[in-house]
Amino acid sequence: MIRISTIFIAICMVLVAASLGLVLYAVAGISGTESAIVALTALTFLILYNAVSMRLRDRSDVGGQIADLSRGTADLARQVAEFGRRLAAIEGRIASSNSTNSDRIQSVVGEINELGGLVRQLATTVSTHEDLLAGNAPAPVPAPIARLEPEAPIDLIAPFEERPAPPPLPAPPSRPAPAIQTQAANPVPVVNGRNQTQLLATLRNAIDENRIDIFLQPMVTLPQRKVRFYEAVTRLRDERDQLIAAEEFISIAEASGLIGRIDNMVMLRCVQVLRRLMVRNKDVGVFCNVAASTLGNSTTFAQCLDFLEANRALAPSLVLEFKQSTFRSLGPAETENLAALAQRGFRFSIDHVTDLRIEPRELADRGVRFIKVPATLLLDPRQASASDIHPSDLSDLLGRFGIDLIAERIEGERAVVDLLDYDVRFGQGFLFAPPRPLRPEGASATGGASPNQAQDIQGSNGSAPPSQGATSGATSAAPAQRITGNAALARRI
């Protein structure tokens, strides 16, 4: 088509020039030579005009093509860059996955080695007992099986075996199980031989004379049973150095307005203990109980906030613990104070859980990172119908919002096995270790072993009540003879 159009234009230009020459020759009377020159001149002009116009048209076409080519090249460059970014992201994920798999393999290999050691020790123990039954060897002392109870990584807690057991006491006369009983002649409630007035006076004297002691109870990982946290358990010593558990005086302290002073003292002790712990292990943490009245009292909370602000560096390891009822009844002032603590990096824990109707998103937004649920409540089959979620799925649900589930008041190996099926990561209870006093060089030194010392229960400042069968009126001889951990396993073997 291009060649035909060009030939047609050339013919037209020749015809126009010839026509011009003929017109000049015939009409104007110009000679033939001059008419031919004019015709050639016109033809030349037409040829030049056509060449210039075609060059301009080709230039515009080429410019458009070059622009299209530039846009296509830019798009190609962007696509190549996007493919490069995606390739780099995939390589990073592959490297991260390989590293994670390597870490998991190493941890699995370590656990397999530990299990191998346990099996070998168990085989040795079984062989020894078979020889004993066959009469071929004297009665040996059962060798403790490693890592069946939490390690004792700190020197703060006096070992249970080192404390001298108190002499057995004669069986006391039968009396009602509750720690607070009402006498017929005296309508005032009596706690361990004291009425409320006497207990309040004892409480005031103990606060003034700095006789508020701290016991530590470990929280262990499951199933490794390595100590990860400690809960500070509050005990009060009277004039005779007898210990009074927290649940016996907390209600009186809250009613009399003394709970704020107790919380300040306990918080100070927890910070001192945490500083000593972190010298040896940076990953350890301490749970410190805080009462609801302290959170709502502006004066007392201001003192606590100033103290915590001064120790803000310990915020990742100091966990403030509140009751479930406290979180459910937060007022504007309590909510604001709780937010002030969360802004300073402090994490919260919830204990005294009575039901599993939990809103993890709301709790996570308020800074809650731990929830302590009694093992009996988790393993209760009736909770599956009473709550919105099955207890076996609770740990996964809380984990999606960054909250760890801690099973407390664990007293049997059977409960540990069932809790592992529920994917519970942390455990606490007498099976692992009871609350133990600090050594004399610690922040507080408990006096010599008293009759009430062996009946410590889980909890502090309103910590968990004793499990079934453990009452405040129990004698000291029975708990002192209780054997847990390796010793219990050795006896069963």
Side-chain angles (χ1 to χ4, degrees), residues 76-92:
L76 182 61
R78 283 194 295 270
Q79 292 178 4
V80 171
E82 180 67 17
F83 281 122
R85 185 186 64 81
R86 292 182 179 180
L87 182 60
I90 292 175
E91 291 177 350

Side-chain angles (χ1 to χ4, degrees), residues 48 57 74 83 100 117 137 140 158 163-164 236 248 265 312 384 388 405 408 466 492:
L48 291 176
R57 186 171 62 251
F83 281 122
T100 303
R163 300 203 300 267
L236 182 148
E248 298 180 3
M265 297 174 65
R312 193 170 181 175
D388 298 333
L405 177 62
E408 62 176 350
R492 286 198 295 271

Side-chain angles (χ1 to χ4, degrees), residues 37 136 178 205 248 251 318 326-327 348 365 384 465 470 473:
I37 293 173
N136 297 330
N205 293 335
E248 298 180 3
S251 58
L318 183 61
T326 300
F327 263 79
F348 308 132
D365 293 341

Side-chain angles (χ1 to χ4, degrees), residues 113-132:
N113 292 335
E114 290 182 6
L115 291 176
L118 293 176
V119 171
R120 286 193 296 270
Q121 294 187 19
L122 184 60
T124 303
T125 304
V126 172
S127 176
T128 303
H129 282 276
E130 288 180 353
D131 294 340
L132 177 62

Side-chain angles (χ1 to χ4, degrees), residues 77-321:
R78 283 194 295 270
Q79 292 178 4
V80 171
E82 180 67 17
F83 281 122
R85 185 186 64 81
R86 292 182 179 180
L87 182 60
I90 292 175
E91 291 177 350
R93 290 179 182 178
I94 292 175
S96 176
S97 176
N98 292 338
S99 177
T100 303
N101 292 336
S102 177
D103 295 340
R104 290 179 179 176
I105 291 174
Q106 292 296 332
S107 62
V108 170
V109 169
E111 292 182 359
I112 291 176
N113 292 335
E114 290 182 6
L115 291 176
L118 293 176
V119 171
R120 286 193 296 270
Q121 294 187 19
L122 184 60
T124 303
T125 304
V126 172
S127 176
T128 303
H129 282 276
E130 288 180 353
D131 294 340
L132 177 62
L133 294 176
N136 297 330
V141 177
I145 297 179
R147 301 188 69 102
L148 288 180
E149 68 176 7
E151 302 170 348
I154 64 172
D155 197 29
L156 293 173
I157 302 176
F160 185 81
E161 294 78 4
E162 293 181 2
R163 300 203 300 267
L169 300 178
S174 59
R175 56 182 179 179
I180 301 178
Q181 58 183 358
T182 305
Q183 298 177 352
N186 184 9
V188 180
V190 176
V191 179
N192 288 341
R194 300 182 182 88
N195 56 32
Q196 286 191 357
T197 304
Q198 294 173 342
L199 186 58
L200 179 59
T202 301
L203 180 60
R204 292 183 184 275
N205 293 335
I207 295 175
D208 294 337
E209 299 175 8
N210 197 21
R211 283 189 275 105
I212 302 295
D213 290 343
I214 295 297
F215 283 48
L216 295 183
Q217 185 174 24
M219 303 177 195
V220 301
T221 60
L222 298 178
Q224 297 85 359
R225 304 192 184 186
K226 294 181 180 180
V227 176
R228 182 63 181 85
F229 302 100
Y230 289 94
E231 180 179 4
V233 181
T234 306
R235 295 290 181 264
L236 182 148
R237 276 186 297 118
D238 59 9
E239 298 80 359
R240 294 172 294 177
D241 278 343
Q242 291 183 344
L243 296 177
I244 302 177
E247 70 278 358
E248 298 180 3
F249 64 83
I250 285 299
S251 58
I252 299 178
E254 290 180 344
S256 59
L258 298 176
I259 190 64
R261 296 179 59 186
I262 295 177
D263 281 349
N264 282 329
M265 297 174 65
V266 172
M267 202 171 294
L268 172 62
R269 303 283 176 81
C270 289
V271 169
Q272 293 174 344
V273 170
L274 183 58
R275 290 187 182 277
R276 293 181 57 194
L277 290 173
M278 296 185 68
V279 172
R280 301 185 180 183
N281 186 0
K282 297 293 184 181
D283 297 330
V284 74
V286 173
F287 281 59
C288 179
N289 283 266
V290 181
S293 55
T294 300
L295 191 63
N297 189 312
S298 58
T299 303
T300 304
F301 180 78
Q303 298 174 356
C304 295
L305 187 62
D306 292 340
F307 176 74
L308 293 176
E309 178 71 25
N311 295 273
R312 193 170 181 175
L314 301 177
S317 301
L318 183 61
V319 182
L320 304 179
E321 194 165 64

